[in-house]
């Protein structure tokens, strides 16, 4: 069964209750009842959390999310309270900690797609639809869609696949009003982010958001946003529909894992091996490059 190759032991901090070890983040509850999210340098691929860390990844994800939350602040409220490291926590939490409002999470992965690729392309090739939405003939891997679409997925546990679900199923699960709000907000945020990325020479092909309700019942954007882990970014100058696009995410890792060099059988039950140093360094450089291109700030 996929999952963690080596399940990490969470750091215990006096005054913080450890809630959950996610694929990438450790979650704690503070004495004040807030959620403390600490991003690790872990990476998941093919439903496994890999045995090799990517140095600085947790800080890049956190800093990029914070930057994006600021860019989106006029569109949607977010869950961030502060970035202060709680008293007694290790110093290396600095830069990768977000103290957040603890929300009632909506159990839907809110995906927006402006371009066709990945699981969307597979469904399109088989049925000319994505998430049940009909699309025109003639689209290929990397094509821009006539308009961005909302393609929600169910949230899967560690080691399981997220599954695309039709909008009507989301409406059944969370109610028609919340479903409509999720779709509208997801597409509005995607549209903004796509335009910002485009000005910086990047195509935001697709992305995933998570939302929750606060105590007043207001819909708040949560988790991480618009990072290479939750989004597909492509260099705009290399965009060439009809082929897989070079992307700023874990592609380097996936390519190595499925190449003969890794000796790993993706379809078997053995855990993936350690990543070689050059794959680690190459991936780290891609994450940093994405941060620098988007924010216009050198990574330090
Ligand atoms: P899961 O399998 O539960 O989705 P994951 O493996 O994706 O977890 P991470 O992304 O590492 O886990 O951890 C983040 C977790 O915190 C997710 O479960 C996410 O839904 C949850 N979360 C994010 N923001 C909030 C919030 N403000 N309030 C409550 N939960 C949140
Ligand atoms: Mg997650």
């Amino acid at each position: 069964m996929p999952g963690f190759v080596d399940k990490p032991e969470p750091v215990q901090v006096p005054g913080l209750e450890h809630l959950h070890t996610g694929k990438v983040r450790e979650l704690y509850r503070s004495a004040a009842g807030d959620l403390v999210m600490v991003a690790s340098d872990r990476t998941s691929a093919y439903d496994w959390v890999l045995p090799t860390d990517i140095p600085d990844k947790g800080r890049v994800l956190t800093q990029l999310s914070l930057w994006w939350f600021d860019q989106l602040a006029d569109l949607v409220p977010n869950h961030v309270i502060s970035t202060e490291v709680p008293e007694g926590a290790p110093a290396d939490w600095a830069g990768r900690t977000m103290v957040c409002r603890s929300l009632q999470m909506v159990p839907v992965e809110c995906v927006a797609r402006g371009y066709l690729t990945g699981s969307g392309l597979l469904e399109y090739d088989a049925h000319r639809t994505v998430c049940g939405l009909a699309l025109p003939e003639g689209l290929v891997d990397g094509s821009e869609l006539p308009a961005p679409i909302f393609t929600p997925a169910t949230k899967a546990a560690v080691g399981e696949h997220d599954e695309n679900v039709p909008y009507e199923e989301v409406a059944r699960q969370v109610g028609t009003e919340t479903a409509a709000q999720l779709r509208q907000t997801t597409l509005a945020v995607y549209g903004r982010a796509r335009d910002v990325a485009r000005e910086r020479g990047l195509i935001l092909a697709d992305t995933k958001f998570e939302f929750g309700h606060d105590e007043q019942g207001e819909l708040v954007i949560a988790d991480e946003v618009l990072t290479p882990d939750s989004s597909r970014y492509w260099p705009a100058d290399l965009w060439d529909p009809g082929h897989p696009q070079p992307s700023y995410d874990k592609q380097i890792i996936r390519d190595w894992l499925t190449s003969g060099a890794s000796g790993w059988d993706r379809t078997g039950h053995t855990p993936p091996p350690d990543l070689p140093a050059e794959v680690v360094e190459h991936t780290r450089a891609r994450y940093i490059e994405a941060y620098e291109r988007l924010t216009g700030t050198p990574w330090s």
Side-chain angles (χ1 to χ4, degrees), residues 20 22-25 27 35 37 79 100-103 105 109 155-158 210 222-223:
H20 177 68
K23 289 189 280 290
V24 173
R25 272 158 280 269
L27 262 57
L35 191 75
M37 285 190 17
H79 67 161
C100 302
R101 292 193 272 161
S102 179
L103 303 171
M105 294 302 286
E109 307 266 5
K155 273 185 69 78
V158 174
E210 292 186 33
D223 207 54

mmCIF file with all atom_site columns, all heavy atoms in Angstrom, residues 20 22-25 27 35 37 79 100-103 105 109 155-158 210 222-223, ligand 1:
data_model
loop_
_atom_site.group_PDB
_atom_site.id
_atom_site.type_symbol
_atom_site.label_atom_id
_atom_site.label_alt_id
_atom_site.label_comp_id
_atom_site.label_asym_id
_atom_site.label_entity_id
_atom_site.label_seq_id
_atom_site.pdbx_PDB_ins_code
_atom_site.Cartn_x
_atom_site.Cartn_y
_atom_site.Cartn_z
_atom_site.occupancy
_atom_site.B_iso_or_equiv
_atom_site.pdbx_formal_charge
_atom_site.auth_seq_id
_atom_site.auth_comp_id
_atom_site.auth_asym_id
_atom_site.auth_atom_id
_atom_site.pdbx_PDB_model_num
ATOM   1   N N   . HIS A 1 20  ? -1.877  16.098 13.200 1.00 0.00 ? 20  HIS A N   1
ATOM   2   C CA  . HIS A 1 20  ? -1.896  15.320 11.964 1.00 0.00 ? 20  HIS A CA  1
ATOM   3   C C   . HIS A 1 20  ? -0.549  15.446 11.261 1.00 0.00 ? 20  HIS A C   1
ATOM   4   O O   . HIS A 1 20  ? 0.028   16.521 11.202 1.00 0.00 ? 20  HIS A O   1
ATOM   5   C CB  . HIS A 1 20  ? -3.015  15.878 11.074 1.00 0.00 ? 20  HIS A CB  1
ATOM   6   C CG  . HIS A 1 20  ? -3.143  15.254 9.717  1.00 0.00 ? 20  HIS A CG  1
ATOM   7   N ND1 . HIS A 1 20  ? -3.561  13.958 9.528  1.00 0.00 ? 20  HIS A ND1 1
ATOM   8   C CD2 . HIS A 1 20  ? -2.921  15.752 8.470  1.00 0.00 ? 20  HIS A CD2 1
ATOM   9   C CE1 . HIS A 1 20  ? -3.598  13.687 8.231  1.00 0.00 ? 20  HIS A CE1 1
ATOM   10  N NE2 . HIS A 1 20  ? -3.208  14.759 7.558  1.00 0.00 ? 20  HIS A NE2 1
ATOM   11  N N   . GLY A 1 22  ? 0.564   15.309 7.676  1.00 0.00 ? 22  GLY A N   1
ATOM   12  C CA  . GLY A 1 22  ? 0.114   15.265 6.282  1.00 0.00 ? 22  GLY A CA  1
ATOM   13  C C   . GLY A 1 22  ? 1.247   14.804 5.396  1.00 0.00 ? 22  GLY A C   1
ATOM   14  O O   . GLY A 1 22  ? 2.357   14.540 5.864  1.00 0.00 ? 22  GLY A O   1
ATOM   15  N N   . LYS A 1 23  ? 0.967   14.735 4.119  1.00 0.00 ? 23  LYS A N   1
ATOM   16  C CA  . LYS A 1 23  ? 2.023   14.328 3.196  1.00 0.00 ? 23  LYS A CA  1
ATOM   17  C C   . LYS A 1 23  ? 3.196   15.298 3.290  1.00 0.00 ? 23  LYS A C   1
ATOM   18  O O   . LYS A 1 23  ? 4.346   14.885 3.299  1.00 0.00 ? 23  LYS A O   1
ATOM   19  C CB  . LYS A 1 23  ? 1.481   14.278 1.760  1.00 0.00 ? 23  LYS A CB  1
ATOM   20  C CG  . LYS A 1 23  ? 0.511   13.117 1.532  1.00 0.00 ? 23  LYS A CG  1
ATOM   21  C CD  . LYS A 1 23  ? 0.142   12.941 0.090  1.00 0.00 ? 23  LYS A CD  1
ATOM   22  C CE  . LYS A 1 23  ? -0.928  13.898 -0.388 1.00 0.00 ? 23  LYS A CE  1
ATOM   23  N NZ  . LYS A 1 23  ? -2.267  13.636 0.157  1.00 0.00 ? 23  LYS A NZ  1
ATOM   24  N N   . VAL A 1 24  ? 2.875   16.583 3.393  1.00 0.00 ? 24  VAL A N   1
ATOM   25  C CA  . VAL A 1 24  ? 3.932   17.596 3.392  1.00 0.00 ? 24  VAL A CA  1
ATOM   26  C C   . VAL A 1 24  ? 3.981   18.384 4.699  1.00 0.00 ? 24  VAL A C   1
ATOM   27  O O   . VAL A 1 24  ? 5.037   18.801 5.141  1.00 0.00 ? 24  VAL A O   1
ATOM   28  C CB  . VAL A 1 24  ? 3.739   18.544 2.178  1.00 0.00 ? 24  VAL A CB  1
ATOM   29  C CG1 . VAL A 1 24  ? 4.701   19.720 2.226  1.00 0.00 ? 24  VAL A CG1 1
ATOM   30  C CG2 . VAL A 1 24  ? 3.924   17.769 0.875  1.00 0.00 ? 24  VAL A CG2 1
ATOM   31  N N   . ARG A 1 25  ? 2.845   18.594 5.332  1.00 0.00 ? 25  ARG A N   1
ATOM   32  C CA  . ARG A 1 25  ? 2.791   19.465 6.497  1.00 0.00 ? 25  ARG A CA  1
ATOM   33  C C   . ARG A 1 25  ? 2.529   18.723 7.798  1.00 0.00 ? 25  ARG A C   1
ATOM   34  O O   . ARG A 1 25  ? 1.857   17.681 7.800  1.00 0.00 ? 25  ARG A O   1
ATOM   35  C CB  . ARG A 1 25  ? 1.683   20.508 6.315  1.00 0.00 ? 25  ARG A CB  1
ATOM   36  C CG  . ARG A 1 25  ? 2.138   21.763 5.606  1.00 0.00 ? 25  ARG A CG  1
ATOM   37  C CD  . ARG A 1 25  ? 0.977   22.488 4.992  1.00 0.00 ? 25  ARG A CD  1
ATOM   38  N NE  . ARG A 1 25  ? 0.670   21.830 3.754  1.00 0.00 ? 25  ARG A NE  1
ATOM   39  C CZ  . ARG A 1 25  ? 1.212   22.183 2.593  1.00 0.00 ? 25  ARG A CZ  1
ATOM   40  N NH1 . ARG A 1 25  ? 2.005   23.223 2.525  1.00 0.00 ? 25  ARG A NH1 1
ATOM   41  N NH2 . ARG A 1 25  ? 0.930   21.513 1.502  1.00 0.00 ? 25  ARG A NH2 1
ATOM   42  N N   . LEU A 1 27  ? 0.610   19.374 11.360 1.00 0.00 ? 27  LEU A N   1
ATOM   43  C CA  . LEU A 1 27  ? -0.432  20.248 11.892 1.00 0.00 ? 27  LEU A CA  1
ATOM   44  C C   . LEU A 1 27  ? -0.484  20.157 13.406 1.00 0.00 ? 27  LEU A C   1
ATOM   45  O O   . LEU A 1 27  ? -0.499  19.045 13.945 1.00 0.00 ? 27  LEU A O   1
ATOM   46  C CB  . LEU A 1 27  ? -1.791  19.816 11.333 1.00 0.00 ? 27  LEU A CB  1
ATOM   47  C CG  . LEU A 1 27  ? -2.324  20.591 10.134 1.00 0.00 ? 27  LEU A CG  1
ATOM   48  C CD1 . LEU A 1 27  ? -1.349  20.568 8.987  1.00 0.00 ? 27  LEU A CD1 1
ATOM   49  C CD2 . LEU A 1 27  ? -3.658  20.027 9.711  1.00 0.00 ? 27  LEU A CD2 1
ATOM   50  N N   . LEU A 1 35  ? -4.578  26.943 14.368 1.00 0.00 ? 35  LEU A N   1
ATOM   51  C CA  . LEU A 1 35  ? -3.905  25.841 13.686 1.00 0.00 ? 35  LEU A CA  1
ATOM   52  C C   . LEU A 1 35  ? -2.493  26.287 13.341 1.00 0.00 ? 35  LEU A C   1
ATOM   53  O O   . LEU A 1 35  ? -2.306  27.357 12.763 1.00 0.00 ? 35  LEU A O   1
ATOM   54  C CB  . LEU A 1 35  ? -4.675  25.532 12.403 1.00 0.00 ? 35  LEU A CB  1
ATOM   55  C CG  . LEU A 1 35  ? -4.280  24.265 11.693 1.00 0.00 ? 35  LEU A CG  1
ATOM   56  C CD1 . LEU A 1 35  ? -4.828  23.062 12.449 1.00 0.00 ? 35  LEU A CD1 1
ATOM   57  C CD2 . LEU A 1 35  ? -4.833  24.281 10.268 1.00 0.00 ? 35  LEU A CD2 1
ATOM   58  N N   . MET A 1 37  ? 0.551   25.327 11.046 1.00 0.00 ? 37  MET A N   1
ATOM   59  C CA  . MET A 1 37  ? 0.933   24.478 9.912  1.00 0.00 ? 37  MET A CA  1
ATOM   60  C C   . MET A 1 37  ? 2.419   24.650 9.656  1.00 0.00 ? 37  MET A C   1
ATOM   61  O O   . MET A 1 37  ? 2.874   25.757 9.399  1.00 0.00 ? 37  MET A O   1
ATOM   62  C CB  . MET A 1 37  ? 0.184   24.896 8.634  1.00 0.00 ? 37  MET A CB  1
ATOM   63  C CG  . MET A 1 37  ? -1.260  24.471 8.600  1.00 0.00 ? 37  MET A CG  1
ATOM   64  S SD  . MET A 1 37  ? -2.082  24.697 6.986  1.00 0.00 ? 37  MET A SD  1
ATOM   65  C CE  . MET A 1 37  ? -0.769  24.875 5.870  1.00 0.00 ? 37  MET A CE  1
ATOM   66  N N   . HIS A 1 79  ? -6.701  32.277 5.549  1.00 0.00 ? 79  HIS A N   1
ATOM   67  C CA  . HIS A 1 79  ? -6.655  31.748 6.921  1.00 0.00 ? 79  HIS A CA  1
ATOM   68  C C   . HIS A 1 79  ? -5.434  32.186 7.736  1.00 0.00 ? 79  HIS A C   1
ATOM   69  O O   . HIS A 1 79  ? -5.322  31.812 8.899  1.00 0.00 ? 79  HIS A O   1
ATOM   70  C CB  . HIS A 1 79  ? -6.764  30.220 6.903  1.00 0.00 ? 79  HIS A CB  1
ATOM   71  C CG  . HIS A 1 79  ? -5.592  29.512 6.282  1.00 0.00 ? 79  HIS A CG  1
ATOM   72  N ND1 . HIS A 1 79  ? -5.326  28.183 6.508  1.00 0.00 ? 79  HIS A ND1 1
ATOM   73  C CD2 . HIS A 1 79  ? -4.618  29.944 5.453  1.00 0.00 ? 79  HIS A CD2 1
ATOM   74  C CE1 . HIS A 1 79  ? -4.245  27.825 5.836  1.00 0.00 ? 79  HIS A CE1 1
ATOM   75  N NE2 . HIS A 1 79  ? -3.795  28.874 5.186  1.00 0.00 ? 79  HIS A NE2 1
ATOM   76  N N   . CYS A 1 100 ? -2.647  29.721 11.608 1.00 0.00 ? 100 CYS A N   1
ATOM   77  C CA  . CYS A 1 100 ? -3.842  29.937 10.787 1.00 0.00 ? 100 CYS A CA  1
ATOM   78  C C   . CYS A 1 100 ? -5.099  29.825 11.630 1.00 0.00 ? 100 CYS A C   1
ATOM   79  O O   . CYS A 1 100 ? -5.107  29.172 12.663 1.00 0.00 ? 100 CYS A O   1
ATOM   80  C CB  . CYS A 1 100 ? -3.937  28.865 9.702  1.00 0.00 ? 100 CYS A CB  1
ATOM   81  S SG  . CYS A 1 100 ? -2.511  28.824 8.634  1.00 0.00 ? 100 CYS A SG  1
ATOM   82  N N   . ARG A 1 101 ? -6.170  30.414 11.125 1.00 0.00 ? 101 ARG A N   1
ATOM   83  C CA  . ARG A 1 101 ? -7.470  30.199 11.737 1.00 0.00 ? 101 ARG A CA  1
ATOM   84  C C   . ARG A 1 101 ? -7.865  28.747 11.494 1.00 0.00 ? 101 ARG A C   1
ATOM   85  O O   . ARG A 1 101 ? -7.724  28.229 10.390 1.00 0.00 ? 101 ARG A O   1
ATOM   86  C CB  . ARG A 1 101 ? -8.506  31.111 11.091 1.00 0.00 ? 101 ARG A CB  1
ATOM   87  C CG  . ARG A 1 101 ? -8.262  32.559 11.425 1.00 0.00 ? 101 ARG A CG  1
ATOM   88  C CD  . ARG A 1 101 ? -9.468  33.357 11.041 1.00 0.00 ? 101 ARG A CD  1
ATOM   89  N NE  . ARG A 1 101 ? -9.394  33.795 9.654  1.00 0.00 ? 101 ARG A NE  1
ATOM   90  C CZ  . ARG A 1 101 ? -10.446 34.197 8.954  1.00 0.00 ? 101 ARG A CZ  1
ATOM   91  N NH1 . ARG A 1 101 ? -11.651 34.165 9.490  1.00 0.00 ? 101 ARG A NH1 1
ATOM   92  N NH2 . ARG A 1 101 ? -10.302 34.610 7.715  1.00 0.00 ? 101 ARG A NH2 1
ATOM   93  N N   . SER A 1 102 ? -8.336  28.102 12.533 1.00 0.00 ? 102 SER A N   1
ATOM   94  C CA  . SER A 1 102 ? -8.781  26.727 12.396 1.00 0.00 ? 102 SER A CA  1
ATOM   95  C C   . SER A 1 102 ? -10.178 26.739 11.783 1.00 0.00 ? 102 SER A C   1
ATOM   96  O O   . SER A 1 102 ? -11.121 27.260 12.371 1.00 0.00 ? 102 SER A O   1
ATOM   97  C CB  . SER A 1 102 ? -8.792  26.069 13.775 1.00 0.00 ? 102 SER A CB  1
ATOM   98  O OG  . SER A 1 102 ? -9.236  24.758 13.654 1.00 0.00 ? 102 SER A OG  1
ATOM   99  N N   . LEU A 1 103 ? -10.306 26.188 10.593 1.00 0.00 ? 103 LEU A N   1
ATOM   100 C CA  . LEU A 1 103 ? -11.564 26.269 9.849  1.00 0.00 ? 103 LEU A CA  1
ATOM   101 C C   . LEU A 1 103 ? -12.255 24.920 9.795  1.00 0.00 ? 103 LEU A C   1
ATOM   102 O O   . LEU A 1 103 ? -11.632 23.878 9.973  1.00 0.00 ? 103 LEU A O   1
ATOM   103 C CB  . LEU A 1 103 ? -11.283 26.719 8.408  1.00 0.00 ? 103 LEU A CB  1
ATOM   104 C CG  . LEU A 1 103 ? -10.543 28.035 8.239  1.00 0.00 ? 103 LEU A CG  1
ATOM   105 C CD1 . LEU A 1 103 ? -10.144 28.222 6.780  1.00 0.00 ? 103 LEU A CD1 1
ATOM   106 C CD2 . LEU A 1 103 ? -11.405 29.211 8.709  1.00 0.00 ? 103 LEU A CD2 1
ATOM   107 N N   . MET A 1 105 ? -13.134 22.597 7.363  1.00 0.00 ? 105 MET A N   1
ATOM   108 C CA  . MET A 1 105 ? -12.724 22.451 5.964  1.00 0.00 ? 105 MET A CA  1
ATOM   109 C C   . MET A 1 105 ? -13.845 21.844 5.107  1.00 0.00 ? 105 MET A C   1
ATOM   110 O O   . MET A 1 105 ? -14.565 20.945 5.551  1.00 0.00 ? 105 MET A O   1
ATOM   111 C CB  . MET A 1 105 ? -11.474 21.572 5.862  1.00 0.00 ? 105 MET A CB  1
ATOM   112 C CG  . MET A 1 105 ? -10.234 22.187 6.501  1.00 0.00 ? 105 MET A CG  1
ATOM   113 S SD  . MET A 1 105 ? -9.785  23.791 5.813  1.00 0.00 ? 105 MET A SD  1
ATOM   114 C CE  . MET A 1 105 ? -9.104  23.280 4.226  1.00 0.00 ? 105 MET A CE  1
ATOM   115 N N   . GLU A 1 109 ? -11.419 19.141 -3.203 1.00 0.00 ? 109 GLU A N   1
ATOM   116 C CA  . GLU A 1 109 ? -10.250 19.746 -3.832 1.00 0.00 ? 109 GLU A CA  1
ATOM   117 C C   . GLU A 1 109 ? -10.784 20.607 -4.971 1.00 0.00 ? 109 GLU A C   1
ATOM   118 O O   . GLU A 1 109 ? -11.350 20.083 -5.938 1.00 0.00 ? 109 GLU A O   1
ATOM   119 C CB  . GLU A 1 109 ? -9.321  18.664 -4.407 1.00 0.00 ? 109 GLU A CB  1
ATOM   120 C CG  . GLU A 1 109 ? -8.934  17.580 -3.417 1.00 0.00 ? 109 GLU A CG  1
ATOM   121 C CD  . GLU A 1 109 ? -7.625  17.871 -2.717 1.00 0.00 ? 109 GLU A CD  1
ATOM   122 O OE1 . GLU A 1 109 ? -7.054  18.962 -2.930 1.00 0.00 ? 109 GLU A OE1 1
ATOM   123 O OE2 . GLU A 1 109 ? -7.169  17.002 -1.956 1.00 0.00 ? 109 GLU A OE2 1
ATOM   124 N N   . LYS A 1 155 ? -11.262 14.649 -1.744 1.00 0.00 ? 155 LYS A N   1
ATOM   125 C CA  . LYS A 1 155 ? -9.983  14.587 -1.029 1.00 0.00 ? 155 LYS A CA  1
ATOM   126 C C   . LYS A 1 155 ? -9.703  13.142 -0.651 1.00 0.00 ? 155 LYS A C   1
ATOM   127 O O   . LYS A 1 155 ? -10.490 12.492 0.006  1.00 0.00 ? 155 LYS A O   1
ATOM   128 C CB  . LYS A 1 155 ? -10.043 15.430 0.238  1.00 0.00 ? 155 LYS A CB  1
ATOM   129 C CG  . LYS A 1 155 ? -9.687  16.878 -0.002 1.00 0.00 ? 155 LYS A CG  1
ATOM   130 C CD  . LYS A 1 155 ? -9.657  17.640 1.322  1.00 0.00 ? 155 LYS A CD  1
ATOM   131 C CE  . LYS A 1 155 ? -8.502  17.216 2.190  1.00 0.00 ? 155 LYS A CE  1
ATOM   132 N NZ  . LYS A 1 155 ? -7.236  17.800 1.756  1.00 0.00 ? 155 LYS A NZ  1
ATOM   133 N N   . ALA A 1 156 ? -8.535  12.636 -1.061 1.00 0.00 ? 156 ALA A N   1
ATOM   134 C CA  . ALA A 1 156 ? -8.178  11.252 -0.743 1.00 0.00 ? 156 ALA A CA  1
ATOM   135 C C   . ALA A 1 156 ? -7.223  11.218 0.449  1.00 0.00 ? 156 ALA A C   1
ATOM   136 O O   . ALA A 1 156 ? -6.486  12.164 0.697  1.00 0.00 ? 156 ALA A O   1
ATOM   137 C CB  . ALA A 1 156 ? -7.523  10.604 -1.948 1.00 0.00 ? 156 ALA A CB  1
ATOM   138 N N   . ALA A 1 157 ? -7.215  10.121 1.182  1.00 0.00 ? 157 ALA A N   1
ATOM   139 C CA  . ALA A 1 157 ? -6.278  9.936  2.291  1.00 0.00 ? 157 ALA A CA  1
ATOM   140 C C   . ALA A 1 157 ? -4.875  9.696  1.730  1.00 0.00 ? 157 ALA A C   1
ATOM   141 O O   . ALA A 1 157 ? -4.716  9.409  0.540  1.00 0.00 ? 157 ALA A O   1
ATOM   142 C CB  . ALA A 1 157 ? -6.719  8.754  3.144  1.00 0.00 ? 157 ALA A CB  1
ATOM   143 N N   . VAL A 1 158 ? -3.857  9.801  2.585  1.00 0.00 ? 158 VAL A N   1
ATOM   144 C CA  . VAL A 1 158 ? -2.484  9.505  2.180  1.00 0.00 ? 158 VAL A CA  1
ATOM   145 C C   . VAL A 1 158 ? -2.464  8.112  1.555  1.00 0.00 ? 158 VAL A C   1
ATOM   146 O O   . VAL A 1 158 ? -3.043  7.174  2.100  1.00 0.00 ? 158 VAL A O   1
ATOM   147 C CB  . VAL A 1 158 ? -1.526  9.554  3.393  1.00 0.00 ? 158 VAL A CB  1
ATOM   148 C CG1 . VAL A 1 158 ? -0.124  9.110  3.000  1.00 0.00 ? 158 VAL A CG1 1
ATOM   149 C CG2 . VAL A 1 158 ? -1.487  10.954 3.988  1.00 0.00 ? 158 VAL A CG2 1
ATOM   150 N N   . GLU A 1 210 ? -8.047  24.748 -1.417 1.00 0.00 ? 210 GLU A N   1
ATOM   151 C CA  . GLU A 1 210 ? -8.930  24.195 -0.390 1.00 0.00 ? 210 GLU A CA  1
ATOM   152 C C   . GLU A 1 210 ? -9.553  25.359 0.356  1.00 0.00 ? 210 GLU A C   1
ATOM   153 O O   . GLU A 1 210 ? -8.886  26.353 0.630  1.00 0.00 ? 210 GLU A O   1
ATOM   154 C CB  . GLU A 1 210 ? -8.150  23.296 0.574  1.00 0.00 ? 210 GLU A CB  1
ATOM   155 C CG  . GLU A 1 210 ? -7.659  22.028 -0.102 1.00 0.00 ? 210 GLU A CG  1
ATOM   156 C CD  . GLU A 1 210 ? -6.999  21.061 0.881  1.00 0.00 ? 210 GLU A CD  1
ATOM   157 O OE1 . GLU A 1 210 ? -7.418  20.997 2.061  1.00 0.00 ? 210 GLU A OE1 1
ATOM   158 O OE2 . GLU A 1 210 ? -6.058  20.379 0.462  1.00 0.00 ? 210 GLU A OE2 1
ATOM   159 N N   . ALA A 1 222 ? -7.754  28.406 2.287  1.00 0.00 ? 222 ALA A N   1
ATOM   160 C CA  . ALA A 1 222 ? -6.896  27.809 3.316  1.00 0.00 ? 222 ALA A CA  1
ATOM   161 C C   . ALA A 1 222 ? -5.730  27.059 2.683  1.00 0.00 ? 222 ALA A C   1
ATOM   162 O O   . ALA A 1 222 ? -5.413  27.265 1.511  1.00 0.00 ? 222 ALA A O   1
ATOM   163 C CB  . ALA A 1 222 ? -7.733  26.871 4.180  1.00 0.00 ? 222 ALA A CB  1
ATOM   164 N N   . ASP A 1 223 ? -5.091  26.234 3.488  1.00 0.00 ? 223 ASP A N   1
ATOM   165 C CA  . ASP A 1 223 ? -4.009  25.351 3.044  1.00 0.00 ? 223 ASP A CA  1
ATOM   166 C C   . ASP A 1 223 ? -2.891  26.177 2.415  1.00 0.00 ? 223 ASP A C   1
ATOM   167 O O   . ASP A 1 223 ? -2.565  27.253 2.889  1.00 0.00 ? 223 ASP A O   1
ATOM   168 C CB  . ASP A 1 223 ? -4.587  24.318 2.070  1.00 0.00 ? 223 ASP A CB  1
ATOM   169 C CG  . ASP A 1 223 ? -3.796  23.011 2.063  1.00 0.00 ? 223 ASP A CG  1
ATOM   170 O OD1 . ASP A 1 223 ? -3.608  22.440 3.135  1.00 0.00 ? 223 ASP A OD1 1
ATOM   171 O OD2 . ASP A 1 223 ? -3.365  22.594 0.984  1.00 0.00 ? 223 ASP A OD2 1
HETATM 172 P P1  . LIG B 2 .   ? -4.867  15.347 3.631  1.00 0.00 ? 1   LIG B P1  1
HETATM 173 O O1  . LIG B 2 .   ? -4.545  13.963 3.180  1.00 0.00 ? 1   LIG B O1  1
HETATM 174 O O2  . LIG B 2 .   ? -5.618  15.418 4.932  1.00 0.00 ? 1   LIG B O2  1
HETATM 175 O O3  . LIG B 2 .   ? -5.381  16.266 2.555  1.00 0.00 ? 1   LIG B O3  1
HETATM 176 P P2  . LIG B 2 .   ? -2.332  16.205 3.048  1.00 0.00 ? 1   LIG B P2  1
HETATM 177 O O4  . LIG B 2 .   ? -1.564  14.957 3.054  1.00 0.00 ? 1   LIG B O4  1
HETATM 178 O O5  . LIG B 2 .   ? -2.657  16.934 1.806  1.00 0.00 ? 1   LIG B O5  1
HETATM 179 O O6  . LIG B 2 .   ? -3.544  15.945 3.960  1.00 0.00 ? 1   LIG B O6  1
HETATM 180 P P3  . LIG B 2 .   ? -0.867  18.418 4.019  1.00 0.00 ? 1   LIG B P3  1
HETATM 181 O O7  . LIG B 2 .   ? -1.167  19.206 2.814  1.00 0.00 ? 1   LIG B O7  1
HETATM 182 O O8  . LIG B 2 .   ? 0.504   17.997 4.330  1.00 0.00 ? 1   LIG B O8  1
HETATM 183 O O9  . LIG B 2 .   ? -1.750  17.152 4.107  1.00 0.00 ? 1   LIG B O9  1
HETATM 184 O O10 . LIG B 2 .   ? -1.465  19.134 5.320  1.00 0.00 ? 1   LIG B O10 1
HETATM 185 C C1  . LIG B 2 .   ? -2.422  20.127 5.281  1.00 0.00 ? 1   LIG B C1  1
HETATM 186 C C2  . LIG B 2 .   ? -3.736  19.671 5.910  1.00 0.00 ? 1   LIG B C2  1
HETATM 187 O O11 . LIG B 2 .   ? -4.318  20.755 6.643  1.00 0.00 ? 1   LIG B O11 1
HETATM 188 C C3  . LIG B 2 .   ? -4.790  19.276 4.888  1.00 0.00 ? 1   LIG B C3  1
HETATM 189 O O12 . LIG B 2 .   ? -5.525  18.173 5.396  1.00 0.00 ? 1   LIG B O12 1
HETATM 190 C C4  . LIG B 2 .   ? -5.707  20.508 4.823  1.00 0.00 ? 1   LIG B C4  1
HETATM 191 O O13 . LIG B 2 .   ? -7.008  20.184 4.424  1.00 0.00 ? 1   LIG B O13 1
HETATM 192 C C5  . LIG B 2 .   ? -5.657  21.015 6.244  1.00 0.00 ? 1   LIG B C5  1
HETATM 193 N N1  . LIG B 2 .   ? -5.887  22.454 6.425  1.00 0.00 ? 1   LIG B N1  1
HETATM 194 C C6  . LIG B 2 .   ? -5.317  23.465 5.724  1.00 0.00 ? 1   LIG B C6  1
HETATM 195 N N2  . LIG B 2 .   ? -5.700  24.683 6.191  1.00 0.00 ? 1   LIG B N2  1
HETATM 196 C C7  . LIG B 2 .   ? -6.542  24.454 7.231  1.00 0.00 ? 1   LIG B C7  1
HETATM 197 C C8  . LIG B 2 .   ? -7.276  25.310 8.137  1.00 0.00 ? 1   LIG B C8  1
HETATM 198 N N3  . LIG B 2 .   ? -7.192  26.641 8.078  1.00 0.00 ? 1   LIG B N3  1
HETATM 199 N N4  . LIG B 2 .   ? -8.049  24.708 9.067  1.00 0.00 ? 1   LIG B N4  1
HETATM 200 C C9  . LIG B 2 .   ? -8.121  23.356 9.159  1.00 0.00 ? 1   LIG B C9  1
HETATM 201 N N5  . LIG B 2 .   ? -7.445  22.495 8.354  1.00 0.00 ? 1   LIG B N5  1
HETATM 202 C C10 . LIG B 2 .   ? -6.668  23.026 7.389  1.00 0.00 ? 1   LIG B C10 1
#
